[in-house]
Amino acid sequence: MTVAAHTPIELVNDVYATLPERVGIGRRRLGRSLTFAEKVLVNHPRDPETGGVERGRSYTDLDPDRVAMQDATAQMALLQFMTAGLPEVAVPSTVHCDHLIQAKTEGKQDLRVAIDVNAEVYDFLESVSAKYGIGFWKPGSGIIHQVVLEQYAFPGGMMIGTDSHTPNAGGLGMIAIGVGGADAVDVMTGYPFNVRWPKLIGVKLTGTLSGWSAPKDIILKVAEILTVKGGTGAIVEYFGPGAESISCTGKATICNMGAEIGATTSLFAYDEAMSRYLKSTGREAIAEAADAAAADLRADAEVLADPGAYFDEVIEIDLSDLRPLINGPHTPDRARPVSELGAEAVAEGWPMEISAALVGSCTNSSYEDISRAASIARFAVENGLEIKTPLLVTPGSEQVRATIERDGLLADLQQLGATVLANACGPCIGQWSRSDVKEGDVNVIVNSYNRNFPRRNDGLASTLSFVTSPETVMALALAGRVDFDPVTDTLTNRDGDEVRLEVPVGEELPAKGFTPGESGFIAPPAHRSDVDVRVSPESDRLQLLEPFAAWNGQDFLGLPILMKATGKCTTDHISAAGPWLKYRGHLENISGNLFIGAVNAFTGEVGTGKDQLDGETKSYPDIARHYHEAGQPWVAIGDENYGEGSSREHAAMEPRFRGAQVVLTRSFARIHETNLKKQGVLPLTFADPATYDLIEQDDRINVLGLADLTPDTPVRCQIVKPDGTTIDFDGNQTMNDEQIGWFRAGGALNIIRARQGV
Ligand code: MIC
Ligand code: SF4
């Protein structure tokens, strides 16, 4: 298999060749017309006649067309793939180096430093990609989701990616699902991707955006309506006349942030905007093929006429009424109109001044986004306005960077004083070396990113992060304060005049087409058997994996509670990013961050708890290491939507490595629950959520009847109080037969290894 810098037209044609027939089968099996998401799904099962199609219930085996991985998750994914004993990947796959570049000075300099500091990891990823036939995108080539949108996504395709924002490709009509590395290993080894057939949420868009409102405001509104767990187990399908008024990259922004509501993925049907984007990015042949297949690249007319009969839930948003929104702090679903932020800041005691404004991330770094931001910069310079806070801009890809440089948009931003960072994640994932504030300094930042959990951007819990559109970030950077509404308020310029900002204008696509910039793609060599993959045993950044032990057939008795979290416990709380990203290829070292952000439900402290073996208060990673060394298995307890956010499987592998056998919560985020299952940890939810409150620090937990585990049946559990009294309760589990097999084998990888005879 050849892996190129773009999806070959042959692959697209193969997908379209089966589409009409499979859509017919889908209609017959479901006995009705289909939504667009359903058409893509029914075109990708391993067996179209027998795979389950019962929403929210049956599991089905799918065959994605592609796999994409970013550097921070690819390390663990490929370390696992290496143990499976295959000569090459079974599906076209790519690795993208974007997360490990720290923002400190400016793009070029920061990139040079990153290439030096991360040399060992980049060498590993490049050599392992070469060895197994994977396409490799060098650091500097861009953020995975922008590169995928520009090169690999296509309408009606299906892909998985080891990053939660993989659904960005839904902006180009693809079912793109964020997964943990172990899921990617399944697909790369030729096994299907097994998921529960999703529920469907329809979002009908009417009207058109105008003024300061942007595509970002649509998803900020959807997040407000559905909350951070409202999309769990569902695909969000956008449709309606308003959908067609949004550019392809604007659609991608909306789909990208569907991760923030827990959705399996989000997507739009194929339309003119997508065709324009495909052509502008050099993929005329794909646009033509999509035009020919167009009837099956959108929902059936009956669905559009009566969506309530086809979707589990329908939300309607009139874009003409949508006002600019800003969400945060600490959670992406806390929304209010920009015009109301000032009053809320007074009520909450948040600072009025903004300490930094940031435009970019995989969510909002397209040509259109930057051109709208640059139009504000031009207006500001022409009218004697200045930024009142540092402004940092990250282009989404080298192609976007080179094009905005050629078109003078970078110069517009720089003239206003913006610092242009590398084409990478940077401050979106804590890769931000910031010296102007320190821990404890309560400060406000505004950005066009997607997540705003505590410590997310600069590692400081005292930073309050607000998420909004790039144009609103620009306006707030010029005001330097949160109590500014660009629609109604004015700014004072250098001459003392009051100036009202003009409504931003953007260009959907560059009039002169895109220029690719410096090529960042390395194709795998044709002869790969002699490629050497280097992992030094002395390395503190990479470590070969040892298989986890299989289940010993016994019930779990007397498990101490290593950690009981209260409130939000995202993957950032479980396995922090920022400085810890450097250990993403070394399971033992990264386990030093286990639960350091979790809020202890017994004490309210962050990152510390009681070691039940010696009674001392310690950091969670120290307790976990102690239990591990003492051979003491344990349980972790979580609240609602435990494991929200990232796809990083480290948040499941670290507990597993340190001896977690069960994680008991009020509810789980989808990717994290699967990651736990994949690694052989039992994820259970309290059948009665009130049971959570009965668990005290010195209690132990019994998990019984494990030999009789059967799909979807509750597991009998007990709280054992220090005086020996017990409280019985049920733990619900959502495993099918295959997943119960993973539990018994000590993780899914052990099954793959056994099948391969390794
Ligand atoms: C994120 O946005 O949280 C990340 C960093 O991209 C993660 C992946 C990771 O932790 O490496 C994600 O979204 O899955
Ligand atoms: Fe990178 Fe941020 Fe996008 Fe995650 S959300 S892929 S860290 S830019």
Side-chain angles (χ1 to χ4, degrees), residues 100-118:
L100 302 180
I101 303 169
Q102 193 185 50
K104 186 167 186 187
T105 318
E106 60 74 45
K108 291 200 181 80
Q109 168 70 7
D110 292 347
L111 179 60
R112 271 195 295 273
V113 171
I115 289 173
D116 182 41
V117 169
N118 301 314

Side-chain angles (χ1 to χ4, degrees), residues 489-705:
D489 298 342
T490 55
L491 295 165
T492 314
N493 74 4
R494 236 179 270 130
D495 305 327
D497 298 331
E498 293 298 299
V499 179
R500 172 158 307 147
L501 293 175
E502 267 178 13
V503 167
V505 281
E507 272 180 83
E508 178 186 334
L509 293 163
K512 289 187 247 162
F514 281 101
T515 178
E518 211 177 293
S519 165
F521 180 73
I522 301 179
H527 301 289
R528 296 190 291 271
S529 50
D530 51 353
V531 176
D532 195 19
V533 179
R534 288 167 302 275
V535 177
S536 155
E538 276 85 52
S539 172
D540 72 341
R541 296 197 60 177
L542 296 166
Q543 182 185 46
L544 293 175
L545 289 171
E546 294 294 329
F548 293 128
W551 176 53
N552 65 6
Q554 306 296 309
D555 284 347
F556 299 144
L557 299 176
L559 301 180
I561 295 142
L562 188 134
M563 187 276 313
K564 177 177 171 184
T566 181
K568 240 192 211 310
C569 193
T570 72
T571 46
D572 281 354
H573 296 76
I574 303 169
S575 173
W580 290 95
L581 286 174
K582 82 167 181 274
Y583 297 124
R584 282 292 186 87
H586 197 295
L587 184 54
E588 188 170 349
N589 286 348
I590 199 162
S591 296
N593 75 1
L594 181 59
F595 299 134
I596 58 174
V599 183
N600 183 329
F602 307 120
T603 64
E605 300 284 320
V606 175
T608 58
K610 179 174 167 190
D611 183 330
Q612 292 292 338
L613 299 184
D614 59 21
E616 284 176 24
T617 298
K618 297 178 185 164
S619 76
Y620 284 133
D622 282 350
I623 303 174
R625 196 182 57 237
H626 188 202
Y627 288 4
H628 185 197
E629 284 165 2
Q632 172 63 62
W634 48 272
V635 58
I637 313 284
D639 210 324
E640 290 287 2
N641 209 22
Y642 178 85
E644 170 185 344
S646 161
S647 67
R648 66 191 73 146
E649 62 192 332
H650 307 75
M653 290 180 87
E654 294 174 34
R656 172 69 165 115
F657 171 67
R658 288 303 192 201
Q661 287 182 317
V662 183
V663 176
L664 253 168
T665 69
R666 282 184 158 139
S667 61
F668 285 100
R670 172 188 63 90
I671 306 179
H672 185 63
E673 183 179 19
T674 307
N675 286 347
L676 288 168
K677 291 177 184 172
K678 282 274 176 196
Q679 301 300 337
V681 181
L682 189 62
L684 298 178
T685 53
F686 297 105
D688 176 2
T691 308
Y692 168 94
D693 295 316
L694 305 178
I695 297 177
E696 294 173 287
Q697 186 159 265
D698 297 331
D699 295 350
R700 301 271 174 144
I701 301 290
N702 293 340
V703 182
L704 309 170

Side-chain angles (χ1 to χ4, degrees), residues 380-381 383-389 416 477-480 491-494:
V381 170
N383 289 276
L385 295 169
E386 285 163 7
I387 41 170
K388 309 267 173 32
T389 187
L416 189 65
L478 289 165
L491 295 165
T492 314
N493 74 4
R494 236 179 270 130

Side-chain angles (χ1 to χ4, degrees), residues 70 98-99 143-145 163-166 256 260 360-363 365 394 424-430 449-451 456 581 646 648:
Q70 43 89 344
D98 54 1
H99 279 64
I143 308 174
I144 176 169
H145 310 303
D163 191 280
S164 67
H165 293 106
T166 303
N256 176 302
E260 272 51 73
S361 92
C362 58
T363 325
S365 53
T394 38
C425 302
C428 183
I429 191 54
Y449 303 169
N450 40 32
R451 294 204 168 123
R456 167 98 187 163
L581 286 174
S646 161
R648 66 191 73 146

